[in-house]
Amino acid sequence: MPVSEANSRVVYEALKASGVRLVSALPETWLVHLIRLAEEDPEMILVRLAKEEEGVGISMGAYFAGVRSALLMQNHGFLQAINGIVSGAMLYRMPLLMLISDRGHLGEKDPWQTEGGRYTRRVLDALNIVHDELSRPEDVGIKVNRALALSQASLAPVALLMTRSLLWEEPAP
Amino acid sequence: MKRLECLQAIYPDIQDCAVVTIMGATSAELHSLGHRANFFYLTHAMGLASSIGLGLALCRPERQVVVLDGDGSVLMNLGGLSTMARYGPRNLLQIIFDNESLLSVGGFPTATATGTDLAACARGAGIHKAITVTTVDDFASAVREALSGGELACVVAKVEAVGPAGYIVDTHLLEDRFMFARAMREPAPRESPAEGGKMP
């Protein structure tokens, strides 16, 4: 499976360096290494979800407890979680860092992943959620740190879209 | 039995806990018994009260967390029962007031009116300590036992589908949210100061 282990580690280290101590996640192919790193780390609380919307509530609870958290999910998971984001995180002015694997763009070979990618950015824009891309490993540390800072200062969700360029290592043609 | 009678019976037991309650009648009734900074009223995001309670309980293992849930809300997040069971925080109690109805939006019957058993759902999800009670005395005993039991627990209270005349409380939801966040960062009355949370 050509999911980039090295770049997954870069993302994980960026979360750790930014003080994230709880990660909630619903697995998908691109996230396997990230979730495993969280699971193997005794300093990290990993919450495996049944449905992404739960993660919004868990991050709200973590925030109340004074713990920095992040929600890992696929873009279809983001679409699933929208009511929790709007009527939980946004209504209550909660910081929420979302790391979203951005399926359904150039190079996508799974037909079932092609629909969500078309709408993810437009839905984020419609919700007025600040978002940025994580495509180059050298930018990951600073962007994760800045996204968390903005989320906490604005008391609002911020999304980082993890692209194919970052997380997928294409086999040589 | 009535939910308000149940809340009155356990108020002294939960008044120092971190309490997360669902919207509507449950919020308004708890508020009417006496608002405290350590009570959080989730007036929307139906289904997520238990998830907030889980996040809080996992991050503050020294703090007793009580979720006041309802049948309609739990049915919206049944998967959350499995997530709670999976991590099983010892400091989390979920109380489900089951009035078999979506009372706050007009009293439409929920699936518990036609046979869905939420305590059985909780046990099936892996919450071993999950029971149903039908009297105020049994309810109060079950809650006290759960609070001293040191184990994730779920108490389903079968209550009448009645509530207060209105659901508006005199603290704004954001005012309450900021007060609750501050209260959670201070040690609970029975906790040692050294265990207090810090600002993130």
Side-chain angles (χ1 to χ4, degrees), chain A residues 69-103:
Chain A
S69 71
L71 176 50
L72 300 183
M73 59 197 167
Q74 190 190 84
N75 42 7
H76 290 84
F78 160 69
L79 296 173
Q80 196 289 316
I82 283 175
N83 183 53
I85 293 167
V86 172
S87 64
M90 293 171 81
L91 181 65
Y92 279 95
R93 302 299 307 265
M94 307 298 285
L96 178 68
L97 178 63
M98 301 185 287
L99 268 72
I100 301 170
S101 55
D102 194 19
R103 303 295 303 265

Side-chain angles (χ1 to χ4, degrees), chain B residues 15 20 43 55 70 85 103 111 131 162 174 177 195:
Chain B
Q15 63 179 351
V20 179
T43 56
L103 180 69
I131 60 160
V162 292
L174 286 180
R177 165 246 185 274
E195 290 175 333

Side-chain angles (χ1 to χ4, degrees), chain B residues 8 22 24 32 34 43 45 50 67 75 95 101 107 110 121 141 148 156 168 182 188 197:
Chain B
Q8 274 164 338
I22 56 164
S32 74
T43 56
S50 57
V67 174
L75 288 167
I95 295 170
S101 162
T110 66
C121 290
S141 304
S148 60
V156 179
I168 301 295
R182 197 170 295 118

Side-chain angles (χ1 to χ4, degrees), chain A residues 48 54 63-64 92-93, chain B residues 41 43 83 87 177 184-185:
Chain A
R48 292 175 180 272
E54 287 177 71
Y63 169 75
F64 283 134
Y92 279 95
R93 302 299 307 265
Chain B
Y41 312 88
T43 56
T83 309
Y87 298 97
R177 165 246 185 274
M184 287 304 102
R185 284 159 199 175

Side-chain angles (χ1 to χ4, degrees), chain A residues 22 45-48 50 53-54 57-58 60-67 84 87-88 91-94 152 155, chain B residues 40-45 48 51-52 55-56 58-60 77 80 83 86-87 173-174 177-178 180 184-185 198:
Chain A
L22 181 147
I45 301 171
L46 170 68
V47 183
R48 292 175 180 272
E53 189 183 10
E54 287 177 71
I58 286 165
M60 288 175 72
Y63 169 75
F64 283 134
V67 170
S87 64
L91 181 65
Y92 279 95
R93 302 299 307 265
M94 307 298 285
Q152 293 194 313
L155 299 175
Chain B
F40 178 66
Y41 312 88
L42 184 66
T43 56
H44 213 318
L48 291 189
S51 304
I52 294 172
L56 197 44
L58 289 172
C59 292
R60 291 287 301 274
N77 188 9
T83 309
R86 188 172 202 164
Y87 298 97
L173 61 90
L174 286 180
R177 165 246 185 274
F178 284 103
F180 185 73
M184 287 304 102
R185 284 159 199 175
K198 292 190 171 58

Side-chain angles (χ1 to χ4, degrees), chain A residues 66-147:
Chain A
V67 170
R68 290 182 181 188
S69 71
L71 176 50
L72 300 183
M73 59 197 167
Q74 190 190 84
N75 42 7
H76 290 84
F78 160 69
L79 296 173
Q80 196 289 316
I82 283 175
N83 183 53
I85 293 167
V86 172
S87 64
M90 293 171 81
L91 181 65
Y92 279 95
R93 302 299 307 265
M94 307 298 285
L96 178 68
L97 178 63
M98 301 185 287
L99 268 72
I100 301 170
S101 55
D102 194 19
R103 303 295 303 265
H105 294 283
L106 297 184
E108 182 65 65
K109 292 190 182 73
D110 294 339
W112 51 89
Q113 303 289 11
T114 57
E115 201 64 18
R118 274 203 269 260
Y119 308 112
T120 304
R121 284 166 180 73
R122 292 172 66 182
V123 173
L124 285 164
D125 286 336
L127 295 173
N128 210 15
I129 293 175
V130 174
H131 57 90
D132 203 342
E133 275 183 15
L134 299 182
S135 292
R136 300 176 344 138
E138 57 269 33
D139 297 336
V140 165
I142 191 79
K143 284 192 175 182
V144 167
N145 191 276
R146 287 176 175 175

